[in-house]
Amino acid sequence: MNSATVTRADFFRPSMAKRIGTLALFVYVIYAFATMGLSGERFAKGLGYGARFLAGFIPPNFTQSDILPGLLESLQIALLSSLIGTLLAIPVAVLAARNLMPAAVSWCARLVIIFCRSFHPVIIAIIAVKAVGFGALAGIIALTFSSVGFVGKLLAEAIEEISLKQIEAVRATGASFMNTIIYGVVPQVMNRFIGFVAYETDSNLRNSTMVGVVGAGGIGGTLFSAFQRFDYDFVAGIILCIIGLVMIGEFLQSWVKKAFHG
Amino acid sequence: MSTLSIQNLVKAYVPGKPVLRDISLDVEGSGITAVIGPSGTGKSTLIRCINRLVDPTSGIMMFEGADLAKLSGAPLRAARRRIGMVFQEYNLVERLSVMENVLSGRLGYVSTWTAWRRKFDEADIQKAFALLQRVGLADFANRRADALSGGQRQRVGIARAVMQSPGLLLADEPTSSLDPKTSVEIMELMRDLAAENNIPVIINIHQVELAKRYAQRVIGMSGGLVVYDGAPSGLSGEVLQKIYGGEDWLAT
Amino acid sequence: MNSATQELQRWVRFTPQQRLGRFGVYLGVVAAILWALKTIEIIPEFLYDAPEQVVDMGKRMWPIDWAHFWPVVWPALVETMHIAALATLLGLCMGIPVGFLAARNATPIPWVNAIARFILVATRSISTLIWALFFVAMFGPGALAGALAIAFHSIGFIGKMFSEGVEESNRGSIEALQAAGATRMQQIVMGYWPQVQPTFWSVALFRWDINVRESAVLGLVGAGGIGMALNAAIDLIQWDRVALILFTIFCIVIVIEAIVTQIRKRVI
């Protein structure tokens, strides 16, 4: 019997590939920062400005009159686009599910979903503003597209993961296509679906505060102009309101999930 | 007039390599017809062709005045709701309650709205309760299906199939996932329910002993053809060898 | 026992509390939607005008100005990729520690948890565009502002996914390490880290994918990347160039998705 000594290196042998990978990453980071023109001096100056901002933020100013209408408009945009987007996403996701549909149909639906997802809502908002003018409608259109993309993709994936055996039995009873979906598919994806919708509504709420920057309604526009006016205390107020709105949204979501769970 | 008349049924998953080569048989009256044979010989395919979960390559299957092989759309669904099926892995909708699973037997008869709101007829609900009582699961109506044991799930599966008021009951290896004692209980339940409701049953089964004990008629398949069709008492060692091949597994 | 004249048995799908809860939610949602529909300002003339506007825009976008690609769009695209990569790395560096601090089992100090959670909510409530406004004002226009903006915005998501991963991890191995006398740091590295490692890759890839999309947009406020080329083209009303840039973004998103799917298959 060979009594070979076991050395530390046998268990913790550093992987050559990992080392090279980490080194490459390090080199890349330095290179990328260099292309951005970051110098010590620039950084220091920036920090100086940053300090000025922070000083300007305190105390935050909530009193200007257009903060509430702006917030409410953002909320409206978020709610309506989540509703319309989800309603549209459901049939698209069912059509995109490869286990339920023939390849030709599912590919078309997936293309629709990919298209909706590829573009940032702000980009779609720009186009929407051109089409329907400034205001909340452009924002709703933009976020509806992004909702269809988001919920559609996740729902299609959830449908593709269900057990087909349960569906087979329902089909064997002579149930129509819709009845099969209702009894076979829906129970299996319902919980996850509610999670997606909750996340999507939260996402839309956040994004609705942003599309205003390009004129698509909501508090984003107010924020942008306040910033350009150097009204930093107002900016701070708006931001705190946005954070508050998102936190309330999160809180409500957990309530809804509890009411529907199980 | 037979309930189900199959003539020259052929099924080839891969062209040129038929799994079912030329099956002809008639099923009539009530009582259990057991289909036995080695794995891969097409027993499951035969059962699934009948309610078109698998589409046959050619052949005729006459059931209640229509050729099942040629139906599609609404007539196919109408035919399917007259054929109940019990599955090897129960195939209940796990997240739904036992009651909802039994009521799913009525899905071929109700509208989309009714299905969504679960507003089944009172008569259906009472029948469902009666069936649950009959299969011994009266207190389980609101339990989730995935909280049940295998034997209990299969009972629900049987209740679901009978709920359809079918003219024919199919069972695809209903006892293969169950222990021996539960298997016997399930076979007895199917035999009794079928007799009470006067429904012929076709069971695809691999446990020959169960077939001998509960079936009135045994069909032995081998290589995609019917090689034996008669009473269980005729299943001698020779016949079984013809069906399954090999000698060692026989007790004699 | 049941007699021949038994009462009909009732089947109830939901318990009374469940019914109440569900009804409450439906009511709330319908009320919110009705309020939103009533109070939203939509100018009908613009709506009717819309198809015409879209067609007009479509006409102006065709033919696509391919010549614009190499001189302007390609360097901008490269810059966008740098922004996305750096932002993801920075975001991971900042978000993971905050995630650990927010996890109640890894950091059993409630006030630290609360602050960490607040940081997570705050950073992701402030959208990247708004972060970009700040950083552009601080560091001047360019890719640096963009990278920082996306990085800071990502902290919320990365930290949240990590803290959930940590909270769901198995206590057993951590306790064993504690019992053996490991320090907090050692517990984290040897106990939690191996369990959340798959989450790490999943989160990193997911975030990188999203960050590429975000970095395409930041140029609108001057934070570098392909968004600046887009902004320039829009300002100059050169829709054929806009079309080129949109097409480029579409292609790059698809490529990244494909890459991410491949990496996921191999690593996770």
Side-chain angles (χ1 to χ4, degrees):
Chain A
M1 198 106 57
N2 197 357
S3 56
T5 44
V6 176
T7 63
R8 186 171 176 279
D10 292 328
F11 285 104
F12 294 102
R13 178 160 310 152
S15 149
M16 212 51 210
K18 260 197 197 163
R19 280 196 164 166
I20 295 182
T22 319
L23 191 62
L25 198 63
F26 204 60
V27 167
Y28 171 74
V29 170
I30 303 200
Y31 164 69
F33 264 122
T35 64
M36 294 186 183
L38 173 66
S39 67
E41 182 203 333
R42 189 173 170 201
F43 197 68
K45 219 166 44 163
L47 288 181
Y49 287 137
R52 275 204 353 231
F53 282 142
L54 288 177
F57 285 160
I58 302 167
N61 173 8
F62 299 96
T63 57
Q64 293 200 27
S65 56
D66 34 345
I67 201 174
L68 193 60
L71 281 177
L72 289 179
E73 195 174 44
S74 285
L75 190 59
Q76 290 160 1
I77 295 177
L79 285 174
L80 289 175
S81 55
S82 298
L83 176 75
I84 303 175
T86 304
L87 288 176
L88 290 175
I90 294 176
V92 172
V94 171
L95 290 174
R98 281 168 291 193
N99 54 354
L100 294 181
M101 294 286 159
V105 173
S106 67
W107 266 109
C108 287
R110 297 177 85 215
L111 212 58
V112 168
I113 294 179
I114 290 178
F115 186 76
C116 289
R117 285 187 70 225
S118 305
F119 299 111
H120 199 269
V122 168
I123 296 184
I124 306 182
I126 294 177
I127 300 184
V129 165
K130 166 79 162 87
V132 300
F134 293 108
L137 183 60
I140 295 177
I141 292 176
L143 292 182
T144 300
F145 271 97
S146 82
S147 293
V148 170
F150 186 81
V151 175
K153 175 178 197 238
L154 291 176
L155 188 58
E157 283 178 1
I159 294 178
E160 286 180 353
E161 285 173 16
I162 61 178
S163 154
L164 284 181
K165 297 194 181 192
Q166 303 181 20
I167 297 188
E168 185 181 55
V170 173
R171 265 178 67 211
T173 66
S176 61
F177 178 73
M178 279 312 294
N179 281 4
T180 311
I181 299 279
I182 289 173
Y183 240 78
V185 177
V186 169
Q188 296 192 63
V189 297
M190 193 51 150
N191 279 348
R192 287 179 72 178
F193 176 70
I194 294 184
F196 302 151
V197 172
Y199 188 82
E200 178 57 19
T201 314
D202 172 59
S203 173
N204 278 348
L205 192 56
R206 286 181 275 110
N207 284 342
S208 67
T209 63
M210 180 166 54
V211 291
V213 173
V214 294
I219 195 95
T222 321
L223 184 72
F224 193 48
S225 41
F227 203 85
Q228 292 185 314
R229 288 193 317 259
F230 304 109
D231 247 345
Y232 294 135
D233 51 353
F234 190 36
V235 168
I238 296 178
I239 289 185
L240 285 174
C241 285
I242 293 177
I243 297 179
L245 201 59
V246 171
M247 285 177 78
I248 294 176
E250 277 207 357
F251 185 66
L252 287 175
Q253 265 177 45
S254 55
W255 263 42
V256 171
K257 282 195 200 167
K258 260 194 244 158
F260 273 84
H261 198 66
Chain B
M1 209 348 231
S2 40
T3 310
L4 175 68
S5 172
I6 301 179
Q7 296 159 31
N8 310 110
L9 188 64
V10 175
K11 172 62 185 175
Y13 288 105
V14 173
K17 294 203 194 144
V19 173
L20 293 176
R21 289 211 258 149
D22 185 357
I23 307 283
S24 297
L25 54 91
D26 287 352
V27 175
E28 57 191 31
S30 61
I32 298 186
T33 303
V35 179
I36 63 173
S39 308
T41 193
K43 310 195 296 290
S44 186
T45 307
L46 172 62
I47 301 277
R48 277 150 188 266
C49 274
I50 296 176
N51 65 356
R52 293 282 299 280
L53 290 180
V54 167
D55 287 328
T57 310
S58 70
I60 296 178
M61 300 181 290
M62 296 302 297
F63 175 71
E64 296 193 338
D67 180 4
L68 291 172
K70 301 224 173 12
L71 295 177
S72 68
L76 177 59
R77 292 201 299 273
R80 274 187 175 153
R81 66 189 189 195
R82 293 284 300 153
I83 304 177
M85 185 151 179
V86 179
F87 294 85
Q88 174 179 353
E89 288 177 26
Y90 333 121
N91 291 10
L92 301 181
V93 184
E94 312 244 306
R95 292 236 174 114
L96 295 182
S97 64
V98 164
M99 178 52 107
E100 285 172 308
N101 271 288
V102 175
L103 285 171
S104 69
R106 296 292 299 167
L107 282 177
Y109 295 93
V110 301
S111 68
T112 307
W113 181 249
T114 311
W116 176 254
R117 302 279 291 138
R118 312 286 200 261
K119 285 264 181 280
F120 293 93
D121 281 349
E122 197 53 42
D124 288 340
I125 297 184
Q126 292 311 309
K127 180 171 174 186
F129 272 120
L131 274 173
L132 279 178
Q133 177 110 7
R134 178 67 186 82
V135 302
L137 292 174
D139 296 329
F140 284 71
N142 281 321
R143 296 256 192 110
R144 239 167 77 147
D146 55 8
L148 268 51
S149 71
Q152 290 167 333
R153 289 190 211 191
Q154 195 59 299
R155 291 166 192 259
V156 176
I158 294 174
R160 169 177 65 189
V162 176
M163 187 71 194
Q164 289 175 232
S165 306
L168 173 65
L169 194 60
L170 301 173
D172 185 5
E173 302 219 24
T175 55
S176 298
S177 300
L178 303 171
D179 65 66
K181 172 164 177 281
T182 319
S183 298
V184 164
E185 288 169 5
I186 293 297
M187 290 301 291
E188 293 195 338
L189 190 57
M190 278 200 289
R191 175 197 62 193
D192 294 341
L193 268 175
E196 285 164 27
N197 293 286
N198 211 14
I199 311 171
V201 185
I202 306 181
I203 301 187
N204 159 22
I205 196 163
H206 72 250
Q207 295 120 314
V208 180
E209 282 310 310
L210 286 175
K212 275 195 191 167
R213 211 166 132 184
Y214 291 100
Q216 280 73 51
R217 173 181 174 195
V218 174
I219 295 181
M221 282 180 64
S222 179
L225 294 168
V226 173
V227 297
Y228 176 79
D229 185 352
S233 50
L235 284 173
S236 63
E238 275 176 59
V239 170
L240 286 171
Q241 197 172 341
K242 192 162 83 160
I243 299 175
Y244 287 94
E247 285 187 4
D248 305 340
W249 66 278
L250 289 169
T252 41
Chain C
M1 282 316 314
N2 293 329
S3 63
T5 53
Q6 72 181 60
E7 297 147 36
L8 295 183
Q9 282 179 283
R10 290 196 60 237
W11 172 51
V12 177
R13 193 178 168 203
F14 298 114
T15 68
Q17 305 124 299
Q18 277 178 314
R19 295 247 293 269
L20 199 62
R22 292 173 75 103
F23 183 68
V25 169
Y26 285 140
L27 196 64
V29 168
V30 169
I33 299 286
L34 285 179
W35 164 76
L37 280 173
K38 251 190 67 177
T39 54
I40 200 144
E41 284 174 30
I42 297 185
I43 305 170
E45 288 83 15
F46 282 166
L47 192 56
Y48 299 144
D49 204 24
E52 209 184 289
Q53 293 287 338
V54 172
V55 167
D56 172 56
M57 188 167 55
K59 279 197 224 152
R60 295 203 209 183
M61 283 187 171
W62 193 265
I64 298 182
D65 183 3
W66 300 109
H68 193 54
F69 186 75
W70 287 113
V72 175
V73 177
W74 173 253
L77 187 61
V78 170
E79 193 177 59
T80 300
M81 297 307 292
H82 286 323
I83 294 178
L86 278 183
T88 311
L89 288 169
L90 259 175
L92 286 167
C93 290
M94 294 192 285
I96 295 181
V98 180
F100 269 104
L101 289 176
R104 280 168 284 221
N105 52 350
T107 311
I109 311 170
W111 63 271
V112 172
N113 289 148
I115 295 183
R117 283 167 173 256
F118 181 73
I119 294 179
L120 293 180
V121 175
T123 50
R124 71 167 200 275
S125 312
I126 305 172
S127 53
T128 30
L129 234 68
I130 299 178
W131 280 111
L133 287 177
F134 288 127
F135 288 116
V136 165
M138 275 170 70
F139 295 106
L144 179 63
L148 288 172
I150 298 181
F152 272 78
H153 181 64
S154 303
I155 292 178
F157 297 98
I158 294 178
K160 179 163 195 244
M161 291 182 111
F162 254 85
S163 81
E164 284 174 358
V166 168
E167 284 184 347
E168 284 170 13
S169 61
N170 193 334
R171 278 294 298 171
S173 46
I174 315 296
E175 282 175 354
L177 287 169
Q178 258 179 338
T183 64
R184 193 102 209 117
M185 208 54 218
Q186 288 170 330
Q187 282 172 43
I188 291 181
V189 170
M190 295 302 289
Y192 286 112
W193 180 249
Q195 294 191 55
V196 294
Q197 214 172 354
T199 315
F200 170 78
W201 282 107
S202 180
V203 172
L205 287 173
F206 186 59
R207 217 51 227 167
W208 182 54
D209 183 7
I210 293 184
N211 286 349
V212 170
R213 271 168 256 228
E214 302 267 327
S215 45
V217 157
L218 290 187
L220 292 170
V221 293
I226 207 166
M228 292 186 78
L230 184 64
N231 201 27
I234 292 179
D235 281 346
L236 296 172
I237 318 191
Q238 285 165 323
W239 287 101
D240 51 351
R241 290 192 174 172
V242 170
L244 169 68
I245 295 174
L246 290 182
F247 181 73
T248 311
I249 294 179
F250 186 69
C251 291
I252 200 76
V253 164
I254 298 206
V255 166
I256 301 274
E257 280 251 345
I259 295 179
V260 166
T261 318
Q262 285 309 310
I263 299 183
R264 260 184 207 232
K265 278 197 207 152
R266 274 154 236 267
V267 175
I268 299 182

